[in-house]
């Protein structure tokens, strides 16, 4: 429910987005401030981890992929013309490397769940001990969605709103199409939760 | 800004759901806490084209958690084919520690570096170096033997 007290979404004085902050760090790094690279790693690694996990890497592979992409960034820092594009570059690189890694491992190991995520985060008995009831309901509903929606929502949840350019690039969608898809995924999620009497909007 | 991209704006309920989802994923499948630091270490090794020294003694030093009282002096040794570095860390109990070190190679100075990219330097005299009072926390040593490859130790906790 919108009230006058609550800030409107999308005002011009929004704090800088993840993409903006990442771009600023990368710019400083390229100006010779080595410490800025560490700040960039702290900022972007959690998102990159989720990109890798959403694209089929197990936890160990995700860690390797994220680390390799960082090394590649430093090797190829000169190829990125616009510092502001660094988050998009990282996300795209992690996505590609994740696909490649996951494809190779699917060829060598049989994944009985057949999902993009090799089973580890499927609802299981351990979920009840880690998550609140509300989170369990949400996670259950998310897992009912299509693979595409699960991927998209997981990554969107770790981005700031103005960064959707980067997300659309990461998911190889034309820029205009991420909105409706995201909207459809969220609508489905909301419908499914609304149908569950245990769910309460907060 | 979202309109020009043809994006349906998110409403409050969407935003909260995404927030909830983020918290849920963070609980269920969190990004490993040490990953950013491991990435930074790998980048440093790469930038210096360094050789990573192997931890020889006291592997506990690497696994010691932050909860434990760091009130005991500990000694660790790191080694490559050509260099050994021994350090004794004595926490002062006030958030700082004294680091005494010994080197088996020629070097003018030793750097004590942090995962956040900051570092301090100590002069080496007759193979010996001292950091009298440095903040506790994760750190690693960097040594540049003249004419040789840079040597870097794994991260250990002061």
């Amino acid at each position: 429910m919108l009230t006058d007290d609550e800030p409107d979404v999308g005002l011009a004085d929004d704090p800088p987005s993840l993409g903006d902050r990442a771009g600023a760090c990368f710019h400083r790094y390229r100006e010779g401030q080595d410490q800025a690279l560490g700040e960039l790693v702290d900022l972007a690694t959690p998102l990159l981890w989720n990109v890798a996990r959403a694209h089929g890497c197990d936890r160990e592979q995700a860690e390797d992929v994220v680390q390799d992409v960082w090394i590649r960034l430093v090797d190829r820092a000169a190829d990125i013309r616009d510092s502001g594009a660094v988050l998009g570059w990282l996300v795209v690189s992690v996505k590609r490397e994740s696909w490649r890694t996951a494809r190779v491992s699917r060829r060598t190991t049989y994944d009985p769940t057949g999902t993009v995520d090799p089973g580890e985060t499927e609802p299981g008995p351990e979920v009840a001990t880690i998550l609140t009831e509300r989170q369990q309901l949400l996670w259950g509903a998310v897992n009912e969605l299509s693979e595409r929606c699960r991927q998209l929502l997981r990554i969107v949840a770790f981005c700031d709103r103005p960064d959707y350019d980067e997300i659309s690039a990461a998911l190889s969608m034309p820029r205009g199409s991420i909105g409706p898809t995201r909207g459809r995924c969220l609508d489905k999620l909301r419908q499914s939760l609304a149908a569950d009497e245990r769910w309460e909007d907060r | 800004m979202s309109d020009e991209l043809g994006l349906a704006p998110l409403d409050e309920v969407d935003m909260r759901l995404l927030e909830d989802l983020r918290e849920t994923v963070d609980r269920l499948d969190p990004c490993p806490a040490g990953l950013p630091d491991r990435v930074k270490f790998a980048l440093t090794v790469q930038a210096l084209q360094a050789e990573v020294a192997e931890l020889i003694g006291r592997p506990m030093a690497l696994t010691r958690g932050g909860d434990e009282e760091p009130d005991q002096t500990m000694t660790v040794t790191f080694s490559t084919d050509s260099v050994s570095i021994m350090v004794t860390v004595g926490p002062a109990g006030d958030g700082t520690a004294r680091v005494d070190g010994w080197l088996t190679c020629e070097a003018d100075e030793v750097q004590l570096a942090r995962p956040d990219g900051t570092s301090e330097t100590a002069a080496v005299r007759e193979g010996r170096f001292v950091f009298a009072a440095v903040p506790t926390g994760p750190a690693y040593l960097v040594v540049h033997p003249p004419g040789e490859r840079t040597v870097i130790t794994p991260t250990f906790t002061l």
Side-chain angles (χ1 to χ4, degrees), chain A residues 11 14 19 39 42 56 64 78 85 104 115 129 138 140 149 160 164 169 172 184 188 195-196 202:
Chain A
L11 291 179
D14 277 348
E39 289 171 42
D42 284 334
D64 289 344
V104 170
T115 58
T129 63
L138 175 63
C149 280
D160 294 331
Y164 291 137
S172 302
R184 271 200 300 278
K188 275 188 210 144
D196 191 328
R202 69 179 167 99

Coordinates of all heavy atoms in Angstrom, one line a residue, chain A residues 11 14 19 39 42 56 64 78 85 104 115 129 138 140 149 160 164 169 172 184 188 195-196 202:
Chain A
L11 N 12.9 7.8 -7.8 CA 13.1 9.2 -7.8 C 14.5 9.5 -8.4 O 15.4 8.7 -8.3 CB 13.0 9.8 -6.4 CG 11.6 9.8 -5.8 CD1 11.6 10.3 -4.4 CD2 10.6 10.6 -6.7
D14 N 17.7 8.9 -6.2 CA 18.1 7.6 -5.7 C 19.6 7.5 -5.5 O 20.3 8.1 -6.2 CB 17.7 6.5 -6.8 CG 16.3 6.2 -6.8 OD1 15.6 6.5 -5.8 OD2 15.8 5.5 -7.7
G19 N 25.5 -0.8 -10.3 CA 26.2 -0.6 -11.6 C 27.0 0.7 -11.6 O 28.2 0.8 -12.0
E39 N 37.6 -2.9 -3.7 CA 36.2 -2.4 -3.4 C 35.2 -2.9 -4.4 O 34.1 -3.3 -4.1 CB 36.1 -0.9 -3.4 CG 36.8 -0.2 -2.2 CD 36.9 1.3 -2.4 OE1 36.0 1.9 -2.9 OE2 38.0 1.8 -2.1
D42 N 34.5 -6.5 -3.7 CA 33.5 -6.6 -2.6 C 32.1 -6.3 -3.0 O 31.1 -7.0 -2.6 CB 33.9 -5.7 -1.4 CG 35.0 -6.2 -0.6 OD1 35.2 -7.4 -0.6 OD2 35.8 -5.4 0.0
G56 N 23.5 -22.7 -13.6 CA 23.8 -24.1 -13.6 C 25.1 -24.6 -12.9 O 25.4 -25.8 -12.9
D64 N 34.9 -21.0 -8.7 CA 36.0 -21.0 -9.7 C 35.6 -20.0 -10.9 O 36.5 -19.3 -11.3 CB 36.2 -22.4 -10.3 CG 36.8 -23.3 -9.3 OD1 37.3 -22.8 -8.3 OD2 36.7 -24.6 -9.5
A78 N 41.9 -3.0 -20.4 CA 42.0 -2.0 -21.4 C 40.9 -2.2 -22.5 O 40.6 -1.2 -23.2 CB 43.4 -2.1 -22.0
A85 N 30.5 0.4 -17.8 CA 29.9 -0.8 -18.3 C 30.5 -2.0 -17.7 O 30.2 -3.2 -18.1 CB 30.2 -0.9 -19.8
V104 N 29.9 -28.7 -19.6 CA 30.9 -29.7 -19.5 C 30.6 -30.7 -18.4 O 30.7 -31.9 -18.6 CB 32.3 -29.1 -19.3 CG1 33.4 -30.1 -19.0 CG2 32.7 -28.3 -20.6
T115 N 17.3 -29.9 -13.5 CA 17.1 -28.5 -13.4 C 18.4 -27.7 -13.7 O 19.4 -28.3 -13.7 CB 16.6 -28.1 -12.0 OG1 17.5 -28.5 -11.1 CG2 15.2 -28.7 -11.7
T129 N 14.8 -25.8 8.4 CA 15.7 -25.4 9.6 C 16.4 -24.1 9.3 O 16.8 -23.4 10.2 CB 16.7 -26.5 9.9 OG1 17.6 -26.7 8.8 CG2 16.1 -27.8 10.2
L138 N 7.7 -18.5 0.2 CA 8.2 -17.8 -1.0 C 9.1 -18.7 -1.9 O 8.9 -18.8 -3.1 CB 9.0 -16.6 -0.5 CG 9.7 -15.8 -1.6 CD1 8.7 -15.2 -2.6 CD2 10.6 -14.7 -1.0
G140 N 9.1 -21.9 -2.0 CA 8.3 -23.0 -2.7 C 7.6 -22.4 -3.9 O 7.6 -23.0 -5.0
C149 N 12.1 -17.8 -15.3 CA 11.7 -16.9 -14.3 C 12.5 -17.1 -13.0 O 12.9 -16.1 -12.4 CB 10.2 -17.2 -13.9 SG 9.0 -16.4 -15.0
D160 N 20.3 -3.5 -8.4 CA 19.5 -2.3 -8.1 C 18.7 -2.0 -9.3 O 19.1 -2.3 -10.4 CB 20.4 -1.2 -7.7 CG 21.1 -1.4 -6.4 OD1 20.5 -2.1 -5.6 OD2 22.2 -0.9 -6.2
Y164 N 19.0 -2.6 -14.9 CA 18.4 -3.7 -15.7 C 19.1 -3.8 -17.1 O 18.9 -4.8 -17.7 CB 16.9 -3.5 -15.8 CG 16.3 -3.7 -14.5 CD1 15.3 -2.9 -14.0 CD2 16.7 -4.8 -13.7 CE1 14.7 -3.1 -12.7 CE2 16.1 -5.0 -12.4 CZ 15.1 -4.2 -12.0 OH 14.6 -4.4 -10.8
A169 N 21.4 -7.7 -20.6 CA 22.6 -8.2 -21.3 C 23.0 -9.6 -20.8 O 23.3 -10.5 -21.6 CB 23.8 -7.2 -21.2
S172 N 20.8 -12.2 -22.2 CA 20.7 -12.1 -23.6 C 19.3 -11.8 -24.1 O 18.8 -12.4 -25.0 CB 21.1 -13.5 -24.2 OG 22.4 -13.8 -23.9
R184 N 5.9 -10.5 -15.8 CA 5.1 -11.8 -15.8 C 5.6 -12.7 -14.7 O 4.8 -13.4 -14.1 CB 5.3 -12.5 -17.2 CG 4.3 -12.0 -18.2 CD 4.2 -13.0 -19.3 NE 5.4 -13.2 -20.1 CZ 5.9 -12.5 -21.0 NH1 5.2 -11.4 -21.4 NH2 7.0 -12.7 -21.6
K188 N 3.2 -14.0 -11.7 CA 2.9 -15.4 -11.5 C 3.2 -15.7 -10.0 O 2.5 -16.4 -9.3 CB 3.7 -16.3 -12.4 CG 3.1 -16.5 -13.7 CD 3.9 -17.6 -14.5 CE 3.8 -17.3 -16.0 NZ 5.1 -17.6 -16.7
A195 N -2.8 -17.2 -3.6 CA -3.7 -18.3 -3.5 C -3.3 -19.2 -2.3 O -4.1 -20.1 -1.9 CB -3.5 -19.2 -4.8
D196 N -2.2 -18.9 -1.6 CA -1.8 -19.6 -0.5 C -2.3 -18.9 0.8 O -1.9 -17.8 1.1 CB -0.3 -19.8 -0.5 CG 0.2 -20.8 0.6 OD1 -0.5 -20.9 1.6 OD2 1.2 -21.4 0.3
R202 N 3.3 -8.3 3.7 CA 3.8 -7.5 4.8 C 3.9 -6.1 4.4 O 3.7 -5.7 3.3 CB 5.2 -8.0 5.3 CG 6.3 -7.8 4.3 CD 7.6 -8.3 5.0 NE 8.7 -8.4 4.0 CZ 9.6 -7.4 3.8 NH1 9.6 -6.4 4.6 NH2 10.5 -7.5 2.9

